[in-house]
Amino acid sequence: TTVDRVVVPSGWTFLLREDFSAGNIHFYYRIASSEGADYTIANNSASRTGFILAYSNVSHFHSISIADIQENTAAGTTHTTPAVIPRSSSHTVISIHATADGTTTWTPPTGMTERVDIQGNGLSISASNVGGSGLSSVSKTATSSASVIGISAIVLIQSIRDFTKNEVKFLG
């Protein structure tokens, strides 16, 4: 039996891990006052792809407002995140969609800006974001280029004020 392990650098906090038939997904986050360092994230799988999204003006006290994940168990081209209710009226919505098919491309949810669309290592991942306001239920749907079983996750980051995206770093 192979144990699926991911070793992250010190200073990163575990948020969420889920295992599904379409693969597994790990979420970690880090609050930093400044960056510039390169990070090495070790794992025991050749089929692993990752990325880092960086945001500024994020609350240091309650940075992750809420996170949830689900598997879309029937093959299809629409992949919807669970619905979540924001805990604050000023937040950033991050929608993440993945499949174990390494050739699928993604169209981001309506109104969202795609930050990542990776194909390779037997995986296909997309991450998009949009500023949010209000306390209404939030759910996002991305479209895949192929009919596949996928994983959809939503993460809400609590903002100090309107967010500004900084950079994307690719791993893997």
Side-chain angles (χ1 to χ4, degrees):
T1 302
T2 302
V3 177
D4 182 38
R5 285 184 286 184
V6 174
V7 180
V8 298
S10 65
W12 288 81
T13 302
F14 172 78
L15 176 63
L16 183 66
R17 174 194 165 142
E18 294 291 335
D19 296 309
F20 298 105
S21 62
N24 58 52
I25 194 162
H26 302 248
F27 289 96
Y28 297 87
Y29 69 95
R30 171 181 168 79
I31 298 173
S33 57
S34 66
E35 284 299 309
D38 289 332
Y39 296 101
T40 300
I41 298 177
N43 69 79
N44 65 339
S45 173
S47 296
R48 182 92 60 213
T49 301
F51 57 90
I52 296 173
L53 300 175
Y55 294 89
S56 59
N57 297 321
V58 174
S59 170
H60 289 266
F61 300 106
H62 303 287
S63 54
I64 305 295
S65 174
I66 195 164
D68 202 358
I69 190 168
Q70 72 183 14
E71 181 174 24
N72 299 296
T73 56
T77 57
T78 57
H79 302 267
T80 303
T81 68
V84 295
I85 298 175
R87 294 184 181 151
S88 75
S89 60
S90 180
H91 54 271
T92 300
V93 179
I94 303 171
S95 173
I96 301 167
H97 305 272
T99 181
D101 171 353
T103 61
T104 298
T105 59
W106 296 91
T107 301
T110 302
M112 297 189 83
T113 300
E114 187 172 63
R115 303 262 325 263
V116 175
D117 196 343
I118 303 170
Q119 294 80 40
N121 291 339
L123 300 171
S124 174
I125 302 172
S126 171
S128 306
N129 65 256
V130 66
S133 62
L135 299 173
S136 300
S137 179
V138 177
S139 178
K140 298 295 179 180
T141 301
T143 305
S144 61
S145 61
S147 182
V148 293
I149 294 174
I151 298 170
S152 296
I154 190 165
V155 178
L156 273 58
I157 300 174
Q158 186 170 326
S159 304
I160 294 173
R161 55 188 178 277
D162 291 339
F163 77 97
T164 303
K165 67 180 180 183
N166 290 333
E167 62 181 305
V168 178
K169 292 186 178 183
F170 295 94
L171 308 171

